[in-house]
Amino acid sequence: MGALPKRKLSKGRRDRRRSQDKLSVPSLGICPKCKKAKRSHFACEYCGFYGKVEKTESKAEPKSK
Ligand SMILES: [Zn+2]
């Protein structure tokens, strides 16, 4: 027999370990040039565009700090 774990891992510990195992879904964005789904922070697969479309809306909120 090979090496075996000394104790049974409780469901909680096992599940907590496995909670880290899942691969995250790549964050998808939409290419502003050809409007196809592309990975954000990557160049577009279809047209090779990489860049941002400038938004004119200002997100500056007046904060009373
Ligand atoms: Zn594109």
Side-chain angles (χ1 to χ4, degrees):
M1 283 225 284
L4 288 170
K6 207 165 194 178
R7 289 184 178 282
K8 175 179 180 173
L9 235 57
S10 68
K11 290 173 198 168
R13 282 189 75 114
R14 180 201 64 195
D15 293 350
R16 244 172 286 158
R17 165 161 44 81
R18 290 186 185 164
S19 75
Q20 308 293 321
D21 291 351
K22 192 176 176 287
L23 257 70
S24 59
V25 180
S27 57
L28 288 173
I30 289 170
C31 174
K33 208 176 176 185
C34 65
K35 310 291 179 196
K36 281 181 179 171
K38 81 174 215 12
R39 290 182 72 179
S40 45
H41 313 291
F42 282 79
C44 174
E45 279 183 59
Y46 301 95
C47 66
F49 179 78
Y50 186 83
K52 278 180 185 174
V53 173
E54 290 294 318
K55 284 180 180 175
T56 45
E57 61 173 344
S58 60
K59 267 200 171 180
E61 289 172 37
K63 277 182 181 176
S64 56
K65 224 177 190 180

